[in-house]
Amino acid sequence: MGKKADIDWGKLGFEYMKTDLRYISVWKDGKWDEGKLTEDNMVSISEASTVIHYGQSCFEGLKAYTTKEGKIQLFRPDLNAERMNESCDKLLMPHVPEEKFIDAVMQVVKANEKYVPPYGSGATLYIRPYLMGVGHNIGVKPAPEYIFGVFCIPVGPYFKDGVSPCNYIVLDDYDRAAPHGTGGNKVGGNYAASLQAHAVAAEKGFADCIYLDPATHTKIEEIGAANFFGITKNDEFITPKSPSILPSITKRSLLYIAEHYLKMPVYEKEVLIDEIDQFKEAGACGTAAVITPIGGIHYKDNLHVFHSETEVGPITQKLYDLLLGIQLGDVEAPKGWIFEVK
């Protein structure tokens, strides 16, 4: 491994930092070009680009990790490629072939190797692939051209002082997505639509808001930009099932780990907000934090506390340790989960 960048890894947050190289590829006349690495971190597009006016865009988020032996590895990037193409189907954008997607991510990580935080620092390299409709187009229709890009930034641990619980609030006045809408896809508009609700939750002193299903407002769907899971008093791992939930790769991995590593019964099914007392532990899961334990949920003027507002539940902690251990190479991974960057 070469020399690392002069960065205080322990002080990193989750903020943009220009790294050396990023990847850009253009789709035009029905096909993708070869793509290239560039030092330029500015993207120039037509003022009539579909992404600006009609929100034709999607993105992904994944990380690169340094193992104890100094190897750099990716965690399930094939699932990010798969999910991006599901978003493309929803927004009538051309697929990025899985091989092209993974190759682009690999190129970017390799080209910015000095920014991949060392093992034991708690920091990781966050990778952001994106796809957007560009070109001259003012009508409400798919764009004539597309840009697929990938850049990366080193980011600090989500929890500076170890994993700690957060409290959330149910806001009945806000929906994250419409029934049969884009909730199951990682598209920009979903996140723009969540900003106001997040601000209201933060003003009230909560980490974020919990979104109920948009049709009936009786079932838990998502927690901010993360997926929900709960551990029942019978030690079952349960996570909500709905077409308007973004299919989290972290959640998919936790379902497997709970079942195969911890031998727990696992279920994806409807989770009624009125039945949260069945859970002795609960959490939010996603790429950034891996797992954020939920201390309590505020609903109808009542704060329902799970395991504790200050301590992490034992099963949640085990799940966190196992998944992070797999990502860092300290725990043996299921076949096909790890892609080494060479």
Side-chain angles (χ1 to χ4, degrees):
M1 288 181 67
K3 192 180 177 203
K4 290 292 182 187
D6 184 17
I7 292 172
D8 186 342
W9 306 107
K11 290 191 175 172
L12 283 171
F14 195 87
E15 291 166 358
Y16 179 78
M17 174 191 296
K18 185 184 178 186
T19 48
D20 292 346
L21 292 161
R22 68 274 313 126
Y23 175 96
I24 289 282
S25 185
V26 175
W27 186 92
K28 192 175 181 180
D29 300 325
K31 63 182 185 296
W32 287 105
D33 68 10
E34 284 189 14
K36 65 178 182 180
L37 292 173
T38 174
E39 293 182 6
D40 189 0
N41 68 333
M42 295 294 171
V43 180
S44 179
I45 61 174
S46 166
E47 64 187 353
S49 289
T50 315
V51 64
I52 299 172
H53 304 279
Y54 308 122
Q56 198 185 24
S57 70
C58 64
F59 68 98
E60 281 297 322
L62 63 158
K63 288 178 175 179
Y65 308 81
T66 305
T67 68
K68 198 178 287 182
E69 297 75 35
K71 295 177 184 174
I72 296 173
Q73 59 187 35
L74 304 170
F75 180 73
R76 311 189 81 179
D78 53 324
L79 296 189
N80 291 96
E82 179 186 296
R83 189 170 65 179
M84 176 171 265
N85 284 328
E86 288 167 1
S87 297
C88 290
D89 288 339
K90 190 73 172 181
L91 300 188
L92 299 185
M93 300 197 289
H95 277 202
V96 177
E98 181 181 305
E99 188 178 324
K100 183 180 182 72
F101 181 100
I102 294 174
D103 176 62
V105 170
M106 292 274 193
Q107 284 191 50
V108 168
V109 175
K110 189 70 183 167
N112 295 286
E113 193 173 337
K114 71 182 185 185
Y115 293 100
V116 184
Y119 176 86
S121 65
T124 49
L125 187 77
Y126 182 80
I127 305 154
R128 171 56 59 84
Y130 62 90
L131 179 61
M132 60 180 176
V134 297
H136 306 302
N137 175 45
I138 205 65
V140 183
K141 60 186 178 183
E145 300 172 22
Y146 294 87
I147 291 175
F148 168 58
V150 182
F151 65 91
C152 66
I153 54 171
V155 298
Y158 192 88
F159 298 105
K160 295 288 185 190
D161 302 314
V163 183
S164 55
C166 296
N167 287 348
Y168 295 85
I169 184 170
V170 175
L171 296 174
D172 265 340
D173 296 338
Y174 297 90
D175 286 329
R176 178 184 154 270
H180 313 296
T182 58
N185 306 107
K186 203 166 176 68
V187 300
N190 292 351
Y191 294 81
S194 75
L195 296 175
Q196 187 180 33
H198 172 77
V200 170
E203 274 174 28
K204 294 177 181 289
F206 294 89
D208 211 331
C209 71
I210 290 188
Y211 295 102
L212 303 180
D213 70 294
T216 71
H217 277 212
T218 59
K219 294 169 273 196
I220 291 178
E221 289 220 327
E222 290 211 5
I223 301 196
N227 279 193
F228 173 89
F229 72 86
I231 310 297
T232 69
K233 290 164 184 172
N234 298 323
D235 288 346
E236 301 163 321
F237 181 100
I238 295 177
T239 187
K241 187 175 181 65
S242 161
S244 53
I245 293 174
L246 181 72
S248 161
I249 292 159
T250 306
K251 179 190 75 178
R252 279 178 67 170
S253 305
L254 288 173
L255 278 162
Y256 185 93
I257 289 167
E259 182 176 8
H260 294 91
Y261 287 63
L262 298 182
K263 308 302 180 189
M264 298 171 67
V266 302
Y267 302 97
E268 284 187 270
K269 63 182 186 179
E270 292 180 346
V271 176
L272 296 172
I273 185 66
D274 287 336
E275 295 179 3
I276 55 172
D277 59 355
Q278 70 181 296
F279 300 116
K280 61 180 181 179
E281 297 179 32
C285 59
T287 299
V290 183
I291 291 174
T292 303
I294 299 173
I297 292 177
H298 189 276
Y299 177 58
K300 290 184 175 175
D301 299 323
N302 177 55
L303 180 68
H304 177 87
V305 176
F306 297 98
H307 178 74
S308 163
E309 288 184 78
T310 55
E311 301 291 326
V312 184
I315 294 175
T316 301
Q317 186 69 57
K318 279 182 194 172
L319 290 166
Y320 177 89
D321 292 342
L322 281 167
L323 182 50
L324 190 61
I326 288 169
Q327 292 170 335
L328 292 171
D330 295 334
V331 174
E332 187 174 350
K335 189 179 178 185
W337 280 25
I338 299 298
F339 289 61
E340 189 178 344
V341 179
K342 294 180 179 176

